[in-house]
C-alpha cells in the first residue's frame, strides 16, 4: 500500500493548521530520544499523518485559557493562562503540548487504531471517587487494579483515558488538571 500524501500545516494560529508541530520538530525531538529507531522506521508521509492525527485527538480536549483568534483552526495558541510559570502567548505552542503531540504521534504511528480500536469498554468503577458525603465530610474511593488510572474520569477525553501519562505531560495547560477544592465549615 502506498504512503499517504498529507499536507501538514503547523502554522501557529493559522486558519488551515492541522498540527501543533512540524515534522522537523518531531524528528529533532525523537533524535534525542530512546524511541528514535521506532520513529525513524516510518516514512516521512506516515510520520506527518501521525502528527496530524495526534493533533486531532489532542485539540478538542478542554484547554486552559482562551483561543487567541476566532479564525484559528486549532485550539492552540491560547492566551490568558499561565502554566509552569510561563504565560501563554499567541505566537507559540507550549513545549508540553508539543511533547504530548510527539508522544501521541509515536503511539499512533505504531498503531493508528490504538485509541479507538481493540480497547475494552470502560469499567463503571474506573473513576477515582466512589462516594462523597458532606455531613461529617466523608469520602470513599474505588480500589484500582494494577495498570488502571485514576487521573481521568470516564467522561474525560478518550485519548487521555487511553494514555493517562499525557495528563501529567500537559500539566496545567489541560484544564482538567486545574482542580481546586474548597471546604467551608460553618
Amino acid at each position: 500500500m502506498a504512503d499517504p500524501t498529507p499536507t501538514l500545516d503547523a502554522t501557529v494560529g493559522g486558519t488551515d493548521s492541522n498540527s501543533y508541530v512540524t515534522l522537523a520538530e518531531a524528528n529533532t525531538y525523537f533524535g534525542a530520544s530512546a524511541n528514535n529507531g521506532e520513529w525513524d522506521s516510518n516514512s516521512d508521509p506516515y510520520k506527518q499523518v501521525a502528527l496530524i492525527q495526534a493533533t486531532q485527538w489532542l485539540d478538542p480536549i478542554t484547554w486552559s485559557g482562551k483561543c487567541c483568534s476566532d479564525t484559528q483552526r486549532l485550539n492552540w495558541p491560547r492566551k490568558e493562562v499561565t502554566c509552569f510559570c510561563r504565560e501563554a502567548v499567541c505566537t507559540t505552542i507550549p513545549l508540553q503540548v508539543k511533547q504530548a503531540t510527539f508522544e501521541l504521534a509515536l503511539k499512533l504511528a505504531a498503531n493508528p487504531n490504538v485509541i479507538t480500536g481493540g480497547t475494552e469498554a470502560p469499567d463503571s468503577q474506573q473513576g477515582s471517587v466512589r462516594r462523597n458525603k458532606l455531613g461529617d465530610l466523608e469520602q470513599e474511593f474505588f480500589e484500582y487494579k494494577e495498570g488502571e488510572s485514576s487521573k481521568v474520569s470516564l467522561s474525560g477525553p478518550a485519548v487521555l483515558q487511553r494514555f493517562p501519562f499525557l495528563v501529567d505531560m500537559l500539566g496545567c495547560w489541560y484544564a482538567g488538571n486545574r482542580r481546586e477544592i474548597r471546604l467551608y465549615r460553618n
Side-chain angles (χ1 to χ4, degrees):
M1 183 163 94
D3 281 337
T5 53
T7 303
L8 186 143
D9 183 346
T11 305
V12 176
T15 56
D16 295 321
S17 300
N18 59 6
S19 180
Y20 289 143
V21 298
T22 66
L23 178 59
E25 288 174 311
N27 288 337
T28 299
Y29 176 82
F30 286 112
S33 164
N35 294 322
N36 188 39
E38 188 178 345
W39 180 251
D40 276 349
S41 69
N42 297 293
S43 68
D44 283 354
Y46 197 75
K47 291 176 189 178
Q48 290 180 40
V49 167
L51 292 169
I52 292 167
Q53 190 178 14
T55 301
Q56 288 172 342
W57 276 104
L58 290 171
D59 193 57
I61 70 173
T62 305
W63 298 103
S64 298
K66 297 179 180 178
C67 287
C68 289
S69 164
D70 291 339
T71 60
Q72 71 187 57
R73 183 176 187 185
L74 300 174
N75 279 312
W76 278 99
R78 298 185 76 76
K79 60 185 178 180
E80 298 181 23
V81 62
T82 300
C83 180
F84 300 112
C85 299
R86 300 189 193 285
E87 185 174 347
V89 293
C90 294
T91 56
T92 189
I93 308 291
L95 175 63
Q96 294 81 8
V97 174
K98 287 184 175 195
Q99 289 172 331
T101 306
F102 299 142
E103 293 297 334
L104 183 57
L106 181 65
K107 301 287 188 194
L108 291 165
N111 177 1
N113 298 315
V114 70
I115 299 169
T116 58
T119 59
E120 298 176 19
D123 184 343
S124 64
Q125 294 187 359
Q126 189 175 357
S128 60
V129 178
R130 180 179 192 151
R131 182 172 64 94
N132 283 318
K133 183 179 176 186
L134 189 55
D136 291 327
L137 211 64
E138 186 175 310
Q139 192 169 35
E140 182 179 336
F141 297 89
F142 285 115
E143 291 187 32
Y144 291 95
K145 299 173 194 154
E146 189 173 334
E148 289 185 349
S149 169
S150 62
K151 294 179 183 183
V152 184
S153 74
L154 289 174
S155 61
V159 66
L160 299 180
Q161 288 181 38
R162 180 66 176 100
F163 299 112
F165 73 89
L166 292 171
V167 174
D168 292 329
M169 188 171 273
L170 293 170
C172 45
W173 298 119
Y174 166 53
N177 268 351
R178 292 181 171 259
R179 294 184 179 101
E180 187 174 313
I181 300 172
R182 296 182 185 186
L183 299 174
Y184 298 96
R185 182 165 242 155
N186 290 336

